[in-house]
Amino acid sequence: MSGSMSTPTSSPTSNSGPVVRPPASAMTRYSAMEALAALLTDELVVLSLGGAVDEWYTAAPHLREASLFQQQLGCVTPQALGLALGLPHRRVVSLDTDGGLLFNLGVLATLGNEQPGNLLVVVWDNERYQSIGGPRTHTSSGTVDLAAIARGAGVVHASTVRDVEAFAAACAAGLADQAAPHVVVAKVDTSPEGHAAAGHPVVRRKHSDGREDTYRFVRHVEATEGVTIMGPSEHN
Amino acid sequence: MTPTAVQAVIAGLERAGVTLASYLPDSLLKPLYPALDAHPGIRTVPCTNEGEGAAICGGVFLSGKRAVLCMENSGLRAAAEPLARMGLGSGIPVVMIMSYRGELGENNWWAVPHGITMEPMLAALRIPYRVVREEAGIEQAVVDAYEWSYSAYQHSAVVLGGSTVR
């Protein structure tokens, strides 16, 4: 395993009042995305909702066709698992979130039982529901350790990382391992202030809906796998 | 569920080209699950809830393979959120085979809600379905569900009731 174990960096806060909390770590999600994108070539990516969609669209332009942009909690890693089981020779990356994984922790038990060796799960853990303005998730308390839950579910290669070097090393290890799934919980700063302070570019908005995203992704899989998924009708 | 009904389901899945089944086992379809596990051409992936199973099947669709989600009809309620997102939002279809708990003839009080909610839930999610109560109709219903879902890119369901499961 790479990286350090989770150490609480923030105190439990009330659900009431303004949402002002320190970032989950000094590592911006965008910098981690850049590091991961540099490791990927012909992988397939499934990713979750919220700010991660536009950031990945901007940080990994060479993977836009190979990325399925989803808008749903709890489905990203199960979809990536199905994709990985359907294409066992192809590396699949799930870009999940703390809120998304917490929505269906059971999938970790399924990963533990199925042991898909071609699946890397990255969890962007910013300790908040960023897409609706930042209310805290359960990981913000510092008592909930997603990597430990994953290990307890049988995903033995699960770690929490807080800097880009450790993140890149953990992802590289997961991509290189053909025998077992890896889970990398990346504590990240997703604040606009952190993004700007790091000198990251302005994030471009992705201009497409779920159906267009599905068609684009499927056409990429068809082209790279030599298969027909959404084919012609019997008659025109 | 009789052995011949199980075989009819398997025959339909074979004709449809299904190679992966995700399921959360229930009592009415109980004999189906070990039959799927034992099938040499079908990989089974037990799930922790039916929503997860639906998402797994959606991922399999994206790979170019074919999957089925098998469950009690109560699982439709658990799976409603991912089914709505994938089907209505993204055009990623899931074909389901579910038991008809709670139809007329049901003798368990806890199953009554399953019967009352299933068809309105299917209608709300815009999911076409066929209720099959005779073994003779099972195999073709499964085949037809795949033909439709892979043309519409929307979910469909085969509901096994009546003499097929009792």
Side-chain angles (χ1 to χ4, degrees):
Chain A
M1 287 188 294
S2 300
S4 58
M5 293 301 298
S6 176
T7 302
T9 56
S10 57
S11 300
T13 56
S14 168
N15 272 323
S16 61
V19 181
V20 181
R21 296 189 307 280
S25 82
M27 172 171 61
T28 63
R29 182 171 58 197
Y30 193 88
S31 64
M33 284 184 173
E34 287 184 316
L36 175 59
L39 297 172
L40 302 181
T41 53
D42 65 345
E43 290 80 1
L44 298 172
V45 181
V46 182
L47 68 147
S48 190
L49 76 177
V53 169
D54 291 331
E55 284 191 15
W56 183 250
Y57 188 78
T58 303
H62 67 296
L63 294 165
R64 286 174 185 166
E65 306 293 321
S67 298
L68 182 69
F69 299 88
Q70 294 290 274
Q71 289 288 337
Q72 47 196 338
L73 292 175
C75 285
V76 171
T77 295
Q79 279 188 333
L81 170 60
L83 188 60
L85 295 175
L87 297 172
H89 55 281
R90 194 86 180 261
R91 178 65 61 178
V92 175
V93 180
S94 171
L95 300 184
D96 215 325
T97 62
D98 48 333
L101 189 58
L102 286 163
F103 198 88
N104 177 26
L105 287 170
V107 73
L108 293 172
T110 305
L111 293 183
N113 282 343
E114 299 300 324
Q115 292 293 315
N118 58 331
L119 180 62
L120 167 66
V121 178
V122 173
V123 183
W124 305 122
D125 183 2
N126 61 358
E127 302 179 351
R128 61 202 72 197
Y129 295 103
Q130 183 195 12
S131 63
I132 58 167
R136 64 190 175 106
T137 64
H138 279 32
T139 62
S140 68
S141 67
T143 60
V144 178
D145 185 337
L146 292 174
I149 294 171
R151 290 194 295 274
V155 184
V156 298
H157 304 290
S159 60
T160 300
V161 295
R162 298 174 181 278
D163 62 70
V164 174
E165 291 71 26
F167 172 76
C171 288
L175 292 167
D177 189 351
Q178 302 293 315
H182 285 229
V183 170
V184 180
V185 179
K187 290 286 186 178
V188 289
D189 176 7
T190 56
S191 68
E193 298 78 13
H195 189 89
H200 297 318
V202 174
V203 172
R204 288 184 55 195
R205 293 301 312 275
K206 178 181 70 70
H207 288 189
S208 54
D209 66 6
R211 287 187 180 271
E212 183 176 350
D213 290 344
T214 296
Y215 275 104
R216 183 166 53 189
F217 181 79
V218 163
R219 298 308 178 210
H220 176 78
V221 175
E222 289 177 332
T224 55
E225 291 292 330
V227 298
T228 300
I229 300 172
M230 301 173 89
S233 297
E234 182 181 9
H235 304 293
N236 286 320
Chain B
M1 193 176 189
T2 64
T4 51
V6 170
Q7 283 311 306
V9 172
I10 298 289
L13 295 174
E14 289 174 341
R15 281 178 57 196
V18 172
T19 58
L20 187 145
S22 187
Y23 65 73
L24 200 154
D26 74 308
S27 52
L28 286 182
L29 303 185
K30 188 176 179 181
L32 175 63
Y33 304 108
L36 291 169
D37 288 336
H39 194 288
I42 297 176
R43 175 168 182 166
T44 50
V45 182
C47 55
T48 63
N49 67 73
E50 295 86 347
E52 176 190 315
I56 290 170
C57 291
V60 173
F61 166 79
L62 296 167
S63 77
K65 305 297 195 312
R66 293 194 173 195
V68 64
L69 174 61
C70 299
M71 60 189 184
E72 187 178 76
N73 57 350
S74 58
L76 183 64
R77 300 197 298 265
E81 166 67 2
L83 286 173
R85 300 265 188 174
M86 286 192 294
L88 302 175
S90 296
I92 298 172
V94 176
V95 176
M96 294 167 276
I97 295 175
M98 64 184 76
S99 58
Y100 201 153
R101 269 288 179 199
E103 66 176 335
L104 293 185
E106 179 63 58
N107 58 358
N108 293 289
W109 65 267
W110 49 262
V112 172
H114 309 348
I116 291 174
T117 58
M118 182 191 74
E119 294 191 62
M121 287 283 294
L122 288 166
L125 291 165
R126 308 294 188 267
I127 298 175
Y129 60 95
R130 185 180 300 168
V131 179
V132 182
R133 293 191 171 92
E134 304 293 337
E135 281 186 18
I138 293 176
E139 179 180 334
Q140 191 60 44
V142 173
V143 172
D144 289 348
Y146 282 89
E147 288 290 345
W148 189 88
S149 281
Y150 276 72
S151 297
Y153 306 125
Q154 163 65 335
H155 318 308
S156 61
V158 175
V159 184
L160 300 180
S163 65
T164 70
V165 290
R166 291 184 176 86

